[in-house]
Amino acid sequence: MSEHVPTVYIVDDDPGVVRALVRLVKAHGYQAVGFGDAWAFLDARAADPGPACVMLDLQMPGMDGIALQRRLDGELPVIFVTGHADVPSTILAMLAGATDFLLKPVQEDALLASLERACRCAVARHLEHEEMAGLRERLERLTPREREVMAWVVTGRLNKQVASELGTVEKTIKAHRASVMRKLEVGSLAELVRMADKLGLPAVAAARTPHRAGAGAGA
């Protein structure tokens, strides 16, 4: 999947370290780009939201490594490569989800093993992000009434039961349900339920306060 080859960003205020790491990473077949500070990296990242991971120094002027990791907020896998580690910083980095915490001078085998894990994670996160974006785009195709019907359907209720809850007729619910399935590109109730779960959609709570039978027959 060449379109999903991750970029390895290297952020360190030591130009010599950046050059050495970029050469090493490229020599093993990865795409690598180096930066001397966090802000330059963030500008570049904003222009290229593709799959990526970052190899990051801990102590840098301006925004340090921990602050940058917090700024990323889990968007990218982070590998710390630093010569200034201490226990509190290590704990903070790992608790915030760092893939690895390596000490300079880092052993090449250890770095490459860590990089492989981070790149696999980067591709997985990117694919998940693309999937969620696609699911949200499909969800936007639904009308408010179709979303309301979907909220009841994913509870497992039959069409006639949903019709009763929404104060309409079974034929109307059947038509809405078919439209929901078509617009969301799902072929079964199980797929619809999985999609709702992935999107974090509540079931009946997503619908407006239901009408009861006899409250009106309009759709």
Side-chain angles (χ1 to χ4, degrees):
M1 297 185 300
S2 58
E3 71 273 22
H4 291 133
V5 174
T7 298
V8 180
Y9 293 110
I10 297 164
V11 187
D12 196 303
D13 63 328
D14 185 330
V17 170
V18 172
R19 285 193 299 270
L21 288 176
V22 167
R23 281 197 302 267
L24 175 62
V25 171
K26 285 185 174 180
H28 287 83
Y30 296 98
Q31 302 180 97
V33 186
F35 301 93
D37 63 75
W39 295 109
F41 156 69
L42 288 171
D43 287 342
R45 176 61 186 168
D48 181 10
C53 63
V54 55
M55 297 173 62
L56 181 60
D57 191 17
L58 184 62
Q59 294 186 1
M60 297 184 293
M63 186 185 301
D64 67 16
I66 295 294
L68 177 55
Q69 184 188 25
R70 288 173 177 158
R71 177 75 172 260
L72 291 172
D73 193 26
E75 176 189 346
L76 302 179
V78 173
I79 303 169
F80 279 98
V81 182
T82 181
H84 307 285
D86 56 64
V87 172
S89 296
T90 304
I91 292 172
L92 283 174
M94 299 310 289
L95 286 176
T99 302
D100 271 311
F101 203 104
L102 306 176
L103 293 178
K104 299 174 184 175
V106 63
Q107 295 295 315
E108 183 174 327
D109 288 348
L111 186 143
L112 292 174
S114 178
L115 187 58
E116 183 180 354
R117 288 191 294 271
C119 285
R120 284 200 305 266
C121 182
V123 171
R125 289 188 193 182
H126 182 72
L127 291 174
E128 182 180 2
H129 175 78
E130 284 190 331
E131 180 188 18
M132 291 301 297
L135 293 179
R136 285 190 287 267
E137 186 277 330
R138 280 186 263 165
L139 186 66
E140 288 299 315
R141 302 172 189 172
L142 301 186
T143 65
R145 186 60 159 175
E146 287 168 345
R147 289 198 188 200
E148 193 173 29
V149 170
M150 176 184 172
W152 285 98
V153 167
V154 296
T155 66
R157 285 170 169 79
L158 301 175
N159 290 339
K160 63 182 179 180
Q161 294 172 317
V162 177
S164 176
E165 293 288 354
L166 297 181
T168 186
V169 296
E170 183 178 354
K171 181 179 178 180
T172 298
I173 297 302
K174 185 176 181 180
H176 283 313
R177 181 170 180 160
S179 180
V180 167
M181 302 289 276
R182 183 181 68 256
K183 289 181 179 180
L184 297 184
E185 301 174 22
V186 296
S188 67
L189 176 59
E191 287 184 64
L192 185 65
V193 171
R194 284 195 295 270
M195 182 175 181
D197 286 343
K198 285 182 179 180
L199 289 167
L201 300 177
V204 175
R208 70 185 184 189
T209 302
H211 296 291
R212 292 297 172 184

